[in-house]
Amino acid sequence: MSLLTDWSTASGEVLLHFSDSAMAVLQAHVQTGQRPEAGGILLGTVHDHGMFITHATAPSRLDRQFLTFFSRSPRGHRAVAQRLWRASGGTIRYLGDWHTHPEDVPSPSVIDLREWQRLAIARNDNRPAVSVIVGRHALHVELMHSSGKRDQLTAVV
Ligand SMILES: [Zn+2]
């Protein structure tokens, strides 16, 4: 998987930047061979025209990992989110979720879309949920709004 750290919506209105350390976590879980599906949450800061993803949590031992299924226990990830939120004085917050697919170029399943919309609705700041799928050769990055509206992002090279 190539490490493309800058992404934008088609309109160019929203820019998303991944820190090197967040990208390294995603990279470390690319599903090659018989590696199980993995996932975690994305944390970062919000700016006028974009978001900076500073952290991606890795699967915790509370999560259950299978080849084509990943069951996330919210506990471990939520603890990291709360710790960073406090340590940053409230600037680093939960932005969304990531998980892997055993596909070269990943695309969301119906279940993924439903789950992302559920997460977007659950937010209390009306922001779309950043939704990332880590494939073998590419990332799928989109913003899911609570209305179900989707904005796919493309890498800015
Ligand atoms: Zn999926």
Side-chain angles (χ1 to χ4, degrees):
M1 192 188 71
S2 51
L3 294 174
L4 298 165
T5 53
D6 291 294
W7 295 73
S8 137
T9 53
S11 65
E13 265 174 60
V14 183
L15 300 168
L16 196 65
H17 177 77
F18 290 86
S19 71
D20 289 346
S21 61
M23 199 48 98
V25 170
L26 304 185
Q27 174 86 18
H29 294 90
V30 170
Q31 267 190 285
T32 47
Q34 293 297 302
R35 265 207 211 153
E37 191 165 317
I41 62 175
L42 302 168
L43 301 159
T45 53
V46 176
H47 306 273
D48 282 351
H49 295 288
M51 287 173 270
F52 179 33
I53 295 175
T54 54
H55 296 77
T57 63
S60 80
R61 61 194 164 73
L62 299 171
D63 299 321
R64 304 197 306 149
Q65 292 181 266
F66 304 96
L67 192 55
T68 58
F69 177 70
F70 178 73
S71 167
R72 180 164 37 247
S73 156
R75 268 197 299 160
H77 300 282
R78 204 183 293 144
V80 175
Q82 284 169 351
R83 184 167 52 74
L84 284 169
W85 192 80
R86 276 197 303 267
S88 70
T91 56
I92 296 180
R93 62 178 88 170
Y94 169 81
L95 296 179
D97 286 65
W98 70 273
H99 69 281
T100 61
H101 273 191
E103 293 179 278
D104 290 346
V105 178
S107 58
S109 67
V110 174
I111 294 168
D112 288 332
L113 294 175
R114 210 182 291 145
E115 174 68 6
W116 292 344
Q117 189 177 2
R118 193 185 66 72
L119 291 168
I121 290 168
R123 294 185 71 97
N124 51 20
D125 60 4
N126 279 323
R127 290 185 180 280
V130 179
S131 306
V132 172
I133 304 174
V134 179
R136 291 194 182 113
H137 298 317
L139 289 183
H140 174 91
V141 182
E142 69 172 79
L143 301 176
M144 171 63 86
H145 299 258
S146 54
S147 63
K149 179 175 160 299
R150 301 167 58 194
D151 276 324
Q152 194 168 338
L153 281 77
T154 51
V156 181
V157 187

